[in-house]
């Protein structure tokens, strides 16, 4: 059975029909994250690691890790995003999976996951995903996560629309608007898409979904339950806002 979070990844316009525009809208450099992950792997004795990028998106961060000498496999619930990641990382193994029911066939020295765990709003989904990460790691292997932090995410969810318009190389423009509010521990997100291509009628659509940010206490408890030790929680890396955490833990 497909988890709710994987269904969102497959249905969300940002990851499906507009996946081709993802890199136009999200253009933060992957280098700070890749550098932080690489440095942590070197300190752990894995300068050339086998890495699973769980929720790889378009593969920008996987490519940055591969450029540092790591062998990276790609995993995502969105076929459209995976297609782009595969083109960007042609030598990578490509896995179209639901991370909540994923059973890795290989053991890695690291599993990295940016953002995806926020989409898992139930306790069962969260425990299942972290359990899958643990099952795919060798003893002493590392999991490295980027997640939304609960208190700061709540503070930023004030109902103010955030809008961005990108030029599609002279073919038109895409305007993406995201509005977030907070209710009972959940970040409620409404996205609006306006696609205007030259010579074609305008296309407009909306999508609503929920995310659940993380507290430090929950991270430590769930990671320990999944079999991780030595949990380190630091501010997010390579993000424009202060509502993210960079989390590292080792497989016992």
């Amino acid at each position: 059975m497909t988890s709710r979070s994987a269904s969102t990844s497959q249905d969300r316009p940002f990851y499906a029909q507009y996946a081709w525009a993802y890199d136009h809208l999200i253009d933060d450099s992957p280098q700070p994250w890749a550098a932080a992950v690489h440095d942590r792997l070197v300190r752990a004795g894995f300068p050339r690691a086998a890495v699973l990028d769980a929720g790889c998106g378009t593969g920008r961060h996987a490519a940055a890790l591969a450029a540092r000498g790591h062998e990276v496999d790609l995993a995502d619930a969105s076929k459209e995003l995976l297609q782009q990641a595969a083109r960007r990382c042609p030598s990578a193994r490509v896995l179209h999976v639901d991370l909540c029911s994923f059973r890795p066939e290989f053991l890695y020295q690291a599993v990295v996951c940016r953002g995806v765990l926020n989409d898992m709003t139930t306790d069962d989904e969260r425990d299942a995903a972290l359990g899958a990460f643990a099952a795919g790691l060798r003893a002493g292997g590392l999991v490295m996560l980027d997640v939304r932090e609960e208190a700061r995410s709540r503070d930023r969810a004030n109902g103010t629309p955030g809008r961005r318009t990108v030029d599609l190389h002279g073919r038109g423009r895409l305007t993406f608007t995201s509005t977030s509010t907070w209710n009972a521990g959940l970040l409620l997100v409404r996205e609006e898409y306006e696609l205007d291509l030259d010579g074609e009628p305008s296309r407009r659509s909306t999508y609503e979904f929920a995310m659940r940010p993380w507290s430090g206490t929950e991270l430590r408890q769930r990671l320990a339950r999944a079999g991780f030790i030595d949990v380190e929680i630091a501010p997010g890396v390579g993000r424009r806002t202060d509502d993210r955490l960079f989390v590292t833990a080792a497989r016992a």
Side-chain angles (χ1 to χ4, degrees):
M1 180 180 296
T2 302
S3 69
R4 187 212 58 80
S5 58
S7 294
T8 296
S9 295
Q10 294 164 4
D11 297 340
R12 186 181 175 191
F14 204 18
Y15 298 161
Q17 63 260 45
Y18 295 119
W20 54 268
Y22 185 96
D23 288 340
H24 294 286
L25 293 166
I26 306 297
D27 60 358
D28 295 352
S29 172
Q31 298 307 325
W33 164 265
V37 169
H38 175 72
D39 289 348
R40 187 64 183 84
L41 287 170
V42 170
R43 285 193 284 123
F46 305 135
R48 298 290 183 269
V51 180
L52 174 67
D53 190 344
C56 63
T58 62
R60 293 186 306 133
H61 296 84
L65 286 173
R68 286 169 167 78
H70 304 289
E71 183 178 345
V72 187
D73 285 355
L74 308 169
D76 207 286
S78 166
K79 290 182 179 180
E80 292 81 3
L81 292 178
L82 267 179
Q83 288 171 355
Q84 295 190 60
R87 287 193 291 269
R88 180 170 270 136
C89 307
S91 64
R93 185 183 290 111
V94 178
L95 307 168
H96 181 230
V97 298
D98 181 341
L99 294 178
C100 293
S101 56
F102 181 40
R103 291 296 174 265
E105 297 180 13
F106 310 95
L107 290 179
Y108 299 91
Q109 290 161 319
V111 174
V112 298
C113 182
R114 284 174 49 89
V116 179
L117 291 177
N118 303 310
D119 296 330
M120 299 173 186
T121 58
T122 69
D123 294 345
D124 287 346
E125 284 185 334
R126 293 182 167 210
D127 287 338
L130 293 177
F133 296 168
L137 281 169
R138 303 175 184 178
L142 300 179
V143 63
M144 282 173 273
L145 313 172
D146 174 281
V147 297
R148 290 182 180 270
E149 193 274 331
E150 185 178 47
R152 292 183 178 88
S153 295
R154 182 180 62 243
D155 292 343
R156 292 188 66 233
N158 58 11
T160 301
R163 182 175 291 105
R164 185 166 188 194
T165 299
V166 292
D167 179 77
L168 302 177
H169 302 297
R171 297 187 298 115
R173 64 184 183 276
L174 173 65
T175 300
F176 171 72
T177 304
S178 178
T179 306
S180 300
T181 56
W182 187 266
N183 183 47
L186 295 178
L187 197 61
L188 306 180
V189 184
R190 175 183 172 86
E191 295 179 340
E192 302 172 48
Y193 305 85
E194 301 176 28
L195 178 64
D196 294 291
L197 295 177
D198 295 344
E200 297 184 16
S202 296
R203 306 177 201 169
R204 284 163 172 74
S205 60
T206 62
Y207 188 77
E208 296 181 0
F209 66 103
M211 290 188 285
R212 180 178 160 190
W214 293 73
S215 69
T217 298
E218 182 185 9
L219 282 163
R220 290 185 175 88
Q221 290 176 344
R222 292 196 188 281
L223 285 165
R225 188 153 56 238
F228 290 99
I229 58 174
D230 300 332
V231 178
E232 301 172 7
I233 301 177
V237 176
R239 294 292 193 176
R240 297 181 183 181
T241 59
D242 66 352
D243 58 343
R244 303 298 179 106
L245 299 172
F246 179 49
V247 184
T248 304
R251 182 71 170 95

